[in-house]
Amino acid sequence: MSTAEEPTPQTSLATADADRAVGGEAGNSPTDGAEAGPETGREAIIRAARRAFTLRPYAEVTMRGIAAAAGVSPSLIVKRFGSKEALFNTVVDFRQAADELFSAPLDDLGRHLVLTMVDLRDRLRGDPLLRVVFSLGIEDERTLLRARFREQITDRLSEVLTGPDARLRAELVAGQLLGLGATLSLHRPDGATAHTTAERLADLYAPGIQRLVDGS
């Protein structure tokens, strides 16, 4: 990875704003024990690393800082992932989210996308896609993150859509999903979306996505 430049006051303010917007998605205090099981520990590390790499340039992120946010020991991160670069490559991978998002037939994909996005946010304690928008890393990192998103989300969807303008429609669907994630993040914890069921959100939001999927 390339070395990050000295952060500007604007970058620091943007980072602080983003911290407040997506705060609370990492862990609690660090421990040196087993962290309540292997999957729990791994998921906490990935959550903390995803947030750290989204909000700060690669060179400013430390394994010790991720460990503290995840509530684990630094040695556990090394044991699970090996290096900071390997951990970065793990958290800029959208394939697992894509597997769940696109696991429905096309005629029901719009509703499935909305319901799955809400479910993933709850399970991951954070949005599975939105980091591609809020990333404050330097250009090399942003470029990699966006290239992965295009390859693993947009390109994958465009390959399964039928009819004209498949690529355009795939990009618009991806935009709708990012918009949904941003809305849910911006209006929590006391907004109307925070107190609406996933089914009701799907009733209102999914038809527009489905029209893009259908090409109608």
Side-chain angles (χ1 to χ4, degrees), residues 107-145:
D107 60 2
D108 191 43
L109 187 59
R111 188 173 190 85
H112 173 80
L113 287 172
V114 175
L115 295 176
T116 303
M117 275 288 291
V118 174
D119 178 60
L120 285 171
R121 287 175 58 87
D122 290 343
R123 283 192 280 127
L124 299 175
R125 291 199 290 167
D127 193 281
L129 306 180
L130 207 54
R131 61 190 184 276
V132 74
V133 176
F134 288 139
S135 174
L136 297 177
I138 60 176
E139 188 61 31
D140 286 349
E141 294 137 32
R142 291 198 303 269
T143 298
L144 173 60
L145 190 64

Side-chain angles (χ1 to χ4, degrees), residues 42 50 86 88-103 116 120 124 128-129 131 145 147-154 156:
R42 186 178 189 279
R50 181 182 294 124
F88 177 79
N89 285 328
T90 298
V91 302
V92 298
D93 194 322
F94 297 95
R95 284 176 296 187
Q96 184 174 350
D99 287 344
E100 296 195 46
L101 286 167
F102 302 143
S103 62
T116 303
L120 285 171
L124 299 175
L129 306 180
R131 61 190 184 276
L145 190 64
R148 291 277 181 88
F149 184 90
R150 286 194 299 270
E151 174 190 346
Q152 297 170 0
I153 299 294
T154 311
R156 178 169 172 178

Side-chain angles (χ1 to χ4, degrees), residues 2-3 64-65 71 107 109 111 116 118 135 155 157 173 193 201:
S2 54
T3 303
R64 186 174 298 276
D107 60 2
L109 187 59
R111 188 173 190 85
T116 303
V118 174
S135 174
D155 291 352
L157 178 58
V173 169
T193 52
L201 287 174

Side-chain angles (χ1 to χ4, degrees), residues 14-102:
T15 300
D17 289 341
D19 269 322
R20 287 190 291 272
V22 298
E25 293 180 7
N28 298 308
S29 59
T31 63
D32 292 318
E35 291 87 31
E39 285 304 311
T40 300
R42 186 178 189 279
E43 290 168 1
I45 292 166
I46 290 175
R47 278 198 305 272
R50 181 182 294 124
R51 183 167 182 264
F53 288 125
T54 297
L55 298 178
R56 294 175 179 83
Y58 180 88
E60 294 181 8
V61 176
T62 66
M63 298 284 261
R64 186 174 298 276
I66 292 172
V72 302
S73 63
S75 61
L76 183 66
I77 300 182
V78 174
K79 179 180 179 182
R80 295 266 170 85
F81 297 94
S83 67
K84 186 171 81 167
E85 184 173 3
L87 181 55
F88 177 79
N89 285 328
T90 298
V91 302
V92 298
D93 194 322
F94 297 95
R95 284 176 296 187
Q96 184 174 350
D99 287 344
E100 296 195 46
L101 286 167
F102 302 143

Side-chain angles (χ1 to χ4, degrees), residues 158 161-170 172 211-216:
S158 69
L161 294 181
T162 59
D165 302 316
R167 174 72 190 193
L168 173 60
R169 288 154 49 212
L172 292 172
R211 282 194 292 272
L212 293 171
V213 170
D214 296 338
S216 58

